[in-house]
């Protein structure tokens, strides 16, 4: 009923909310992508994409179709690989920085496992520096970490900027130490935040030290202090307060994939392409 080529074009539009960007991603002409979406709408007998001069958005039926399309394509691709004799097998020890788990990464990993069911995916969640050490020790095959922009070799998935984050009603008294919620040392965001404060002549105190992003967010939401995190990961109920309290700029950050050169290159490249091909918006 639903042609894979039409589903792929529709998903590209759903993920970019742009027929032009979808066409660029797929290497097709824009009229071709539009034709695929119209044919899919005809097959579904539903309007899937609302279009006007200002925006492209999914209808409720479009949201539903996006979920079905991912499942259909995952099953289709898995079957094609299996029966072509190229079904990928192997072990993949993947490590990711804790706060990157609040992006779309869990969804990407779920779809990757559906697409490559014969790959044994082992997941480690930790701080970036610990993951990098384990990669160099041969204990991990691929890591997804945060580094100061341009500091490490690897594949940059996203470039971002660190921001100070707090509640809308956050109050910092002039002259008082800045209350910091942070990961334990040697955390990148912690180091950059404290270095920036000291360079600006601002005093500080650690009011909460936690190893998990859930702990950081809980402490900020409780009003215990302020935290530094990548701007794109700030939840909607928290606010960027950098300029409000004249807090110093912390710096830029790269979300980077780094691979173990001795590991299974085919398996690593498959997951790398899966992550690079999707938008890493925050999911919480």
């Amino acid at each position: 009923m639903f042609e894979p080529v039409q589903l792929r074009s529709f998903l590209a539009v759903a993920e970019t909310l742009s027929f032009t960007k979808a066409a660029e991603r797929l290497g097709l002409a824009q009229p071709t992508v539009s034709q695929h979406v119209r044919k899919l709408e005809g097959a579904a007998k539903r309007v899937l994409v609302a279009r006007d001069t200002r925006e492209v958005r999914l209808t409720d039926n479009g949201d539903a179709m996006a979920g079905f399309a991912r499942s259909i394509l995952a099953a289709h691709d898995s079957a094609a690989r299996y029966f072509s004799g190229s079904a990928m097998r192997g072990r993949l020890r993947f490590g990711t920085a804790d706060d990157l788990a609040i992006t779309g990464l869990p969804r990407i990993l779920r779809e990757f496992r559906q697409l490559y069911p014969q790959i044994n995916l082992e997941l480690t969640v930790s701080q970036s520096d610990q993951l990098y050490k384990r990669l160099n020790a041969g204990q991990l095959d691929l890591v997804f970490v945060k580094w100061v922009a341009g500091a490490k070799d690897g594949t940059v998935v996203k470039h971002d900027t660190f921001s100070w984050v707090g509640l809308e009603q956050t109050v910092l008294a002039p002259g008082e130490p800045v209350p910091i919620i942070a990961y334990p040392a040697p955390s990148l965001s912690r180091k950059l935040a404290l270095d920036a404060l000291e360079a600006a002549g601002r005093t500080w105190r650690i009011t909460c030290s936690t190893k998990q992003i859930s702990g950081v967010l809980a402490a900020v939401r409780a009003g215990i202090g302020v935290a530094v995190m990548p701007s794109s990961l700030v939840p909607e109920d928290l606010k960027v307060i950098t300029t409000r309290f004249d807090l110093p700029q912390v710096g830029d950050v790269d979300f980077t994939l780094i691979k173990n050169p001795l590991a299974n290159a085919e398996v690593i490249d498959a997951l790398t392409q899966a992550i690079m091909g999707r938008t890493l918006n925050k999911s919480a």
Side-chain angles (χ1 to χ4, degrees):
M1 181 178 179
F2 302 124
E3 295 292 333
V5 66
Q6 296 169 12
L7 292 172
R8 293 188 196 282
S9 290
F10 168 72
L11 271 184
V13 173
E15 291 169 3
T16 62
L17 295 180
S18 166
F19 282 85
T20 300
K21 292 179 180 178
E24 292 173 353
R25 174 186 290 189
L26 297 170
L28 298 174
Q30 183 175 330
T32 301
V33 173
S34 297
Q35 183 183 53
H36 287 168
V37 173
R38 283 197 300 271
K39 287 184 176 179
L40 184 62
E41 289 178 322
K45 297 182 176 59
R46 299 286 193 280
V47 175
L48 305 176
V49 180
R51 318 159 176 81
D52 59 34
T53 56
R54 293 175 298 174
E55 65 176 357
V56 173
R57 61 180 176 82
L58 296 186
T59 64
D60 290 343
N61 287 316
D63 284 330
M65 178 59 80
F68 289 127
R70 292 188 179 100
S71 298
I72 292 169
L73 289 174
H76 178 276
D77 291 347
S78 181
R81 288 179 182 275
Y82 183 89
F83 288 106
S84 69
S86 60
M88 200 178 299
R89 297 173 173 82
R91 177 190 186 198
L92 177 53
R93 299 168 299 172
F94 177 60
T96 181
D98 175 64
D99 50 359
L100 294 179
I102 67 171
T103 68
L105 182 63
R107 182 187 68 252
I108 295 171
L109 294 180
R110 181 177 66 249
E111 294 168 2
F112 177 82
R113 293 184 66 247
Q114 293 172 345
L115 185 59
Y116 301 105
Q118 298 183 70
I119 293 178
N120 182 14
L121 180 64
E122 300 175 5
L123 179 63
T124 298
V125 179
S126 186
Q127 293 186 25
S128 293
D129 64 303
Q130 296 299 321
L131 294 171
Y132 189 65
K133 289 178 181 177
R134 293 191 63 181
L135 182 80
N136 287 334
Q139 298 171 356
L140 294 172
D141 303 316
L142 179 69
V143 295
F144 192 22
V145 294
K146 305 190 308 297
W147 294 123
V148 175
K152 296 287 185 182
D153 293 331
T155 302
V156 176
V157 177
K158 183 181 180 67
H159 181 77
D160 206 344
T161 301
F162 278 120
S163 292
W164 293 93
V165 178
L167 292 170
E168 175 67 36
Q169 57 268 39
T170 294
V171 175
L172 298 183
E176 291 295 315
V178 178
I180 306 294
I181 298 162
Y183 292 107
S187 156
L188 174 64
S189 57
R190 175 191 178 113
K191 181 180 186 305
L192 293 180
L194 300 187
D195 286 351
L197 288 171
E198 291 181 356
R202 300 286 294 270
T203 57
W204 52 270
R205 60 190 177 93
I206 300 295
T207 56
C208 177
S209 180
T210 175
K211 294 182 178 180
Q212 299 180 333
I213 184 61
S214 57
V216 172
L217 296 177
V220 175
R221 287 166 175 152
I224 293 173
V226 299
V228 163
M229 61 188 304
S231 301
S232 65
L233 303 187
V234 178
E236 293 180 358
D237 62 320
L238 301 180
K239 303 296 180 183
V240 173
I241 59 170
T242 306
T243 56
R244 188 197 305 179
F245 298 107
D246 195 28
L247 293 168
Q249 297 296 322
V250 179
D252 295 335
V253 59
D254 285 339
F255 301 170
T256 306
L257 285 166
I258 306 176
K259 63 183 179 181
N260 181 342
L262 301 179
N264 186 326
E266 183 183 24
V267 173
I268 289 174
D269 289 345
L271 181 54
T272 298
Q273 291 171 16
I275 294 173
M276 293 294 293
R278 299 296 298 275
T279 302
L280 280 174
N281 294 326
K282 61 179 178 289
S283 59

